[in-house]
Amino acid sequence: KFSNSKMAAVDIENPMFCYQCEQTIGGTGCTRVGKCMKTPEVAALQDVQMMGVMKLATMAKPKFAELPTPLKDDIVKTMIEATFMTLTNVSFDGHRFRQCTEHIQELITALSGHAVTATPAAADVASWTPAIDPKKNRIDLRMAELGKTVVGLQELIVYGMKGVAAYLDHAWRLGVRRPAAEAFVLEVFAFLATRPADVGALLGMALRVGEHNLAAMDGLHEANTAAYGDPTPHEVQWAPWARTEGKCILVSGHDLLDLYELLEATRGTGV
């Protein structure tokens, strides 16, 4: 529950709050626009989406093993993609976020038809819809109520899961899955849906996130080496024009499928 006075005091000053990257403005948080150029509108959509992931976890976890396989796969894949796409610089497409939150709602509705009783959740999470006020999940507003330590640990878990989701997503696209890590996605977001405030429990869950992160990375390593072999140094073309300032495309070290598709698309062009 957020007091109106605290919400109003923060809202007057800040149209958004994000501190998930090390480049955040002032080292404390981006409050007008992201250093990455994320807008307040996109920040709000991401806040709504992450609440939706928590709500979906509370609905799916109790009878997950009994659900039809296509529905289980859709739930897990949606939670992974929805979490991954809120990571810094992954997507600023407002339309895409709206589509994702609507699909989360569709899955919640589908689960209602399976006589599911949701796990416990805070009132704001339990009442989530895509139209919920994004302030319900804004970090600075939660810090005003719960304190920086508790919310910081909650967000440490969330940010760790964004990394886990990235690895699981890339591996899944290459046909490799890690069931234990996928099950943990449900568990951890059902845990966060309660808005936990016990520091010991939060630290314990953060450590478990690290364990599952290693499992997810192992799955991605298996997927990448199976598809492309062990990495070895190769000579590459270094054209004179490549030494000048200009545009470039950056591909992270774990996104090898996208890099492969980019290279295939530019084959024979001299790029």
Side-chain angles (χ1 to χ4, degrees):
K1 181 180 179 181
F2 300 104
S3 64
N4 291 332
S5 60
K6 289 181 178 178
M7 288 181 68
V10 178
D11 284 352
I12 291 172
E13 184 177 357
N14 304 333
M16 63 176 281
F17 188 90
C18 180
Y19 69 171
Q20 75 166 304
C21 80
E22 74 279 4
Q23 297 178 19
T24 187
I25 294 173
T28 57
C30 296
T31 59
R32 299 286 180 181
V33 66
K35 189 72 175 286
C36 59
M37 300 311 294
K38 177 167 64 179
T39 64
E41 177 192 15
V42 170
L45 290 169
Q46 292 182 351
D47 289 340
V48 168
Q49 184 157 297
M50 291 310 301
M51 279 188 75
V53 169
M54 295 179 202
K55 172 68 177 292
L56 181 55
T58 67
M59 295 288 292
K61 187 173 181 290
K63 291 188 176 181
F64 188 74
E66 302 172 21
L67 298 174
T69 298
L71 179 57
K72 289 194 293 186
D73 285 349
D74 195 356
I75 290 168
V76 172
K77 190 166 181 60
T78 297
M79 291 182 66
I80 289 171
E81 291 179 348
T83 303
F84 174 30
M85 67 190 283
T86 65
L87 194 59
T88 302
N89 288 333
V90 172
S91 177
F92 295 151
D93 186 341
H95 177 67
R96 186 181 174 202
F97 283 107
R98 292 185 188 93
Q99 283 185 318
C100 187
T101 54
E102 289 294 339
H103 186 54
I104 290 172
Q105 182 60 65
E106 290 170 357
L107 290 171
I108 291 170
T109 301
L111 285 167
S112 299
H114 289 269
V116 170
T117 300
T119 58
D124 57 344
V125 177
S127 62
W128 179 89
T129 72
I132 198 169
D133 184 350
K135 297 183 185 70
K136 297 288 187 179
N137 200 36
R138 221 173 74 179
I139 295 168
D140 53 344
L141 302 179
R142 287 190 282 124
M143 285 194 295
E145 296 292 332
L146 299 174
K148 291 184 177 180
T149 298
V150 167
V151 175
L153 287 170
Q154 291 174 351
E155 292 304 299
L156 175 65
I157 293 169
V158 171
Y159 301 157
M161 288 308 299
K162 292 183 181 189
V164 172
Y167 300 140
L168 291 176
D169 180 76
H170 291 314
W172 193 324
R173 292 175 63 199
L174 289 169
V176 174
R177 298 175 61 177
R178 285 292 184 266
E182 292 176 13
F184 183 68
V185 172
L186 291 172
E187 179 184 351
V188 72
F189 283 112
F191 169 78
L192 290 170
T194 66
R195 299 299 195 195
D198 182 273
V199 171
L202 288 163
L203 283 170
M205 185 61 77
L207 291 172
R208 292 185 62 204
V209 170
E211 294 171 1
H212 285 283
N213 184 61
L214 290 175
M217 290 178 67
D218 178 71
L220 182 58
H221 174 73
E222 177 186 323
N224 281 337
T225 53
Y228 310 113
D230 291 318
T232 56
H234 284 70
E235 290 186 3
V236 297
Q237 178 183 357
W238 187 251
W241 51 262
R243 301 174 187 269
T244 61
E245 293 185 3
K247 302 293 183 181
C248 69
I249 297 173
L250 300 180
V251 180
S252 70
H254 56 73
D255 204 356
L256 297 186
L257 177 58
D258 282 350
L259 179 57
Y260 173 80
E261 291 175 346
L262 179 63
L263 292 171
E264 283 296 313
T266 58
R267 182 189 292 272
T269 64
V271 174

